Amino acid sequence: MRSAAARAPRPRPPAAERYRGRLLRYVSRLTAGDHHRAEDIVQETMVRAWLAADEFAGTHSRHQEEDHLAAWLHIVARNLAVDARRRDRSVPVGIMPETLHQRSADDGADLAEAVANRVTLARLLARLSPQQRAALTQVHGLGLSQPAAARALGVPAGTVKSRVHYALATLRRELSPSS
């Protein structure tokens, strides 16, 4: 014989809870497979659905209400995922990494000057051919020897040597004051 608890009708889960699996798959795609982030976003979506439950009660037919709820949940989850991505990419104003504090104090250089130098270097490197830029980056940026850079780039060592030579000549010419 079945117990009284087994005979009692099982309560239906809240309407939004029925969409949890579908919502989790959707948000997992939005978070590039970060399961923990997706779970957090779905949980926040469920909290917001619970707080807005009155908005969905009795305003439409049952079928329309379910469609409206599903669309609403997906929109809220998408907005939360976008907000999380933006939050990850932002740097709070007034917070500067410790390495920048140390570097500017050690070098005695102004941070604005360092930024200007980087912008100038980026513009100069953009004027080089991609092959020259790659060779220069391997040798002077990463500190590889010319044979090691040649292996990394898949070209002969003499080719790396000439590309670095011509790249440096171009940079010197660009940096020299006009006479």
Side-chain angles (χ1 to χ4, degrees), residues 41-155:
I41 290 171
V42 169
Q43 186 64 33
E44 178 65 24
T45 303
M46 291 297 139
V47 168
R48 291 184 184 199
W50 181 71
L51 293 172
D54 294 338
E55 182 179 323
F56 299 103
T59 55
H60 303 286
S61 71
R62 178 158 169 71
H63 184 67
Q64 287 174 326
E65 194 172 296
E66 290 288 321
D67 289 345
H68 180 70
L69 176 62
W72 186 86
L73 288 169
H74 280 79
I75 290 169
V76 169
R78 181 189 160 282
N79 290 342
L80 289 170
V82 168
D83 289 346
R85 182 177 294 157
R86 285 179 182 156
R87 194 171 35 252
D88 288 347
R89 290 187 322 186
S90 70
V91 176
V93 175
I95 296 178
M96 190 161 65
E98 194 62 36
T99 56
L100 287 180
H101 284 296
Q102 291 170 352
R103 190 171 66 198
S104 63
D106 295 342
D107 296 344
D110 183 39
L111 182 59
E113 184 179 334
V115 171
N117 288 340
R118 283 181 182 233
V119 169
T120 302
L121 180 61
R123 285 185 184 149
L124 290 172
L125 289 174
R127 293 181 184 171
L128 298 176
S129 72
Q131 295 84 7
Q132 289 176 339
R133 193 170 37 249
L136 192 66
T137 301
Q138 293 288 321
V139 173
H140 289 286
L142 299 176
L144 296 179
S145 66
Q146 288 181 353
R151 282 191 300 277
L153 295 172
V155 297

